[in-house]
Amino acid sequence: MLSLVDSVFYWSDLFGTAVFAFSGVLVAGRLRMDGFGVIVLAAVTAIGGGTIRDLIIGAEQVFWVADTLYLWVILGTAMLGIYIVRLPRRLPWYMLPLADAFGLAVFTVIGADKALSHGTSGMVAVVMGVITGVAGGMIRDVLAREVPMVLQREIYATACILGGILYTGALVLGLPTLLATALGMLGTFVLRVAAIRWHLSLPAFSLTR
């Protein structure tokens, strides 16, 4: 029986899965892929990062193998997404970035928490949080033959790093898990939203002759 906090975390994770899957649907639609291509991009975006994380930390089962509801959420999102993007009236432009930022915050903390539960160090936990948050999108972009967004100037992975550090740091300081979770998610979410709102970006590395 899940506690209230665990239940909120679980359903937030499913929401983030749906949001990330929908971003895969949008890329597939832009590239005029067929239905199978839509599902593939939706799936790798939503569960790619968590899959890599579970394989690295040696989890007994990859999370979506243990709980197939994640796969149903992806399939349902792909089907619904194909319909939604054809509607003449769409959601306000800021809804998807905000939802994506929330999903990123959830994935980051879940990734770091799962790594810590498997006995990793705090630094490795931060890395696992970043991988959980961004690796799926990187795979999506590679399949779409694009330079992954996180390898450009976008403040995306940086937000994950901040959130992972806040979460693991709070636990090291002995703060309650609930407070550590709130700090980690809030740090990721606020930095990502600030980057979107004020067009913040990292300085580019450029070699000139």
Side-chain angles (χ1 to χ4, degrees), residues 51 80 206:
T51 301
L80 186 61
S206 177

Side-chain angles (χ1 to χ4, degrees), residues 13 17 20 40 42-67 70-71 74 107 110-111 114 118 127-137 139:
D13 192 24
T17 298
F20 275 41
V40 168
V44 298
T45 307
I47 61 177
T51 301
I52 294 173
R53 174 205 65 216
D54 285 356
L55 293 175
I56 291 176
I57 65 177
E60 292 182 5
Q61 277 189 314
V62 175
F63 70 101
W64 54 266
V65 175
D67 184 356
Y70 286 93
L71 299 181
I74 292 168
F107 280 15
I110 286 178
K114 191 164 187 179
H118 281 74
V127 173
M128 290 302 105
V130 174
I131 288 176
T132 306
V134 308
I139 298 172

Side-chain angles (χ1 to χ4, degrees), residues 21 24-43 75 77-79 81-83 85-86 143:
V25 172
L26 293 178
V27 174
R30 181 162 49 82
L31 296 177
R32 304 177 67 86
M33 292 185 174
D34 61 14
F36 180 73
V38 172
I39 294 173
V40 168
L41 282 198
L75 183 60
T77 301
M79 297 296 192
I82 292 174
Y83 171 74
V85 296
R86 297 175 182 272
L143 292 177

Side-chain angles (χ1 to χ4, degrees), residues 88-120:
R89 294 189 64 182
R90 300 180 182 177
L91 295 173
W93 68 268
Y94 54 82
M95 291 300 295
L96 184 58
L98 286 177
D100 181 83
F102 177 77
L104 185 68
V106 173
F107 280 15
T108 298
V109 173
I110 286 178
D113 178 73
K114 191 164 187 179
L116 290 173
S117 70
H118 281 74
T120 71

